[in-house]
Short mmCIF file of all heavy atoms in Angstrom, two decimals:
data_model
loop_
_atom_site.label_atom_id
_atom_site.label_comp_id
_atom_site.label_asym_id
_atom_site.label_seq_id
_atom_site.Cartn_x
_atom_site.Cartn_y
_atom_site.Cartn_z
N HIS A 170 0.60 0.20 -5.93
CA HIS A 170 -0.59 -0.62 -5.61
C HIS A 170 -0.16 -1.91 -4.90
O HIS A 170 0.24 -2.87 -5.56
CB HIS A 170 -1.34 -0.94 -6.91
CG HIS A 170 -2.67 -1.59 -6.74
ND1 HIS A 170 -3.78 -1.23 -7.46
CD2 HIS A 170 -3.09 -2.61 -5.94
CE1 HIS A 170 -4.81 -1.99 -7.11
NE2 HIS A 170 -4.42 -2.84 -6.19
N HIS A 172 -0.99 -4.49 -1.20
CA HIS A 172 -1.93 -4.78 -0.12
C HIS A 172 -1.21 -5.46 1.04
O HIS A 172 -0.51 -6.45 0.82
CB HIS A 172 -3.05 -5.70 -0.62
CG HIS A 172 -3.91 -5.08 -1.67
ND1 HIS A 172 -4.93 -4.20 -1.39
CD2 HIS A 172 -3.90 -5.20 -3.02
CE1 HIS A 172 -5.51 -3.81 -2.52
NE2 HIS A 172 -4.90 -4.39 -3.53
N GLU A 283 -7.58 0.77 -1.55
CA GLU A 283 -8.26 0.61 -2.80
C GLU A 283 -9.76 0.45 -2.51
O GLU A 283 -10.16 -0.59 -1.96
CB GLU A 283 -7.72 -0.63 -3.54
CG GLU A 283 -8.36 -0.88 -4.90
CD GLU A 283 -7.80 -2.17 -5.53
OE1 GLU A 283 -7.15 -2.97 -4.81
OE2 GLU A 283 -8.05 -2.38 -6.73
N ASN A 285 -13.67 -0.21 -3.30
CA ASN A 285 -14.22 -1.23 -4.19
C ASN A 285 -15.75 -1.19 -4.13
O ASN A 285 -16.36 -1.63 -3.16
CB ASN A 285 -13.70 -2.60 -3.76
CG ASN A 285 -14.00 -3.68 -4.78
OD1 ASN A 285 -15.10 -3.74 -5.32
ND2 ASN A 285 -13.02 -4.53 -5.05
N LEU A 314 -9.25 3.53 -6.91
CA LEU A 314 -10.51 2.79 -7.06
C LEU A 314 -10.29 1.51 -7.86
O LEU A 314 -9.71 1.54 -8.95
CB LEU A 314 -11.52 3.69 -7.79
CG LEU A 314 -12.90 3.10 -8.05
CD1 LEU A 314 -13.70 2.99 -6.75
CD2 LEU A 314 -13.66 3.95 -9.06
N HIS A 315 -10.78 0.41 -7.32
CA HIS A 315 -10.73 -0.85 -8.07
C HIS A 315 -11.63 -0.73 -9.30
O HIS A 315 -12.75 -0.25 -9.21
CB HIS A 315 -11.20 -2.00 -7.18
CG HIS A 315 -11.24 -3.31 -7.89
ND1 HIS A 315 -10.11 -4.06 -8.13
CD2 HIS A 315 -12.26 -3.98 -8.46
CE1 HIS A 315 -10.45 -5.15 -8.80
NE2 HIS A 315 -11.75 -5.12 -9.02
N THR A 316 -11.13 -1.16 -10.42
CA THR A 316 -11.88 -1.07 -11.68
C THR A 316 -11.76 -2.41 -12.40
O THR A 316 -10.77 -3.12 -12.24
CB THR A 316 -11.30 0.05 -12.57
OG1 THR A 316 -10.97 1.17 -11.75
CG2 THR A 316 -12.28 0.49 -13.60
N ALA A 350 -7.53 1.57 -10.88
CA ALA A 350 -6.65 0.41 -10.86
C ALA A 350 -6.85 -0.44 -12.11
O ALA A 350 -7.87 -0.33 -12.80
CB ALA A 350 -6.94 -0.42 -9.60
N HIS A 351 -5.87 -1.29 -12.36
CA HIS A 351 -5.99 -2.28 -13.44
C HIS A 351 -6.33 -1.63 -14.78
O HIS A 351 -7.24 -2.08 -15.48
CB HIS A 351 -7.03 -3.35 -13.06
CG HIS A 351 -6.97 -3.78 -11.61
ND1 HIS A 351 -5.87 -4.43 -11.08
CD2 HIS A 351 -7.83 -3.59 -10.58
CE1 HIS A 351 -6.09 -4.64 -9.78
NE2 HIS A 351 -7.26 -4.15 -9.46
N ALA A 377 -1.72 -2.44 -12.06
CA ALA A 377 -1.83 -3.58 -11.14
C ALA A 377 -2.44 -4.81 -11.81
O ALA A 377 -3.46 -4.71 -12.49
CB ALA A 377 -2.68 -3.18 -9.93
N ASP A 405 -0.07 -4.89 -7.42
CA ASP A 405 -1.03 -5.70 -6.66
C ASP A 405 -0.30 -6.70 -5.75
O ASP A 405 -0.88 -7.69 -5.32
CB ASP A 405 -2.03 -6.45 -7.54
CG ASP A 405 -3.47 -6.26 -7.06
OD1 ASP A 405 -3.69 -5.80 -5.92
OD2 ASP A 405 -4.40 -6.58 -7.84
ZN1 LIG B 745 -8.00 -4.03 -7.46
#
Side-chain angles (χ1 to χ4, degrees):
H170 188 137
H172 295 280
E283 181 183 14
N285 191 317
L314 180 71
H315 177 79
T316 319
H351 319 295
D405 229 345

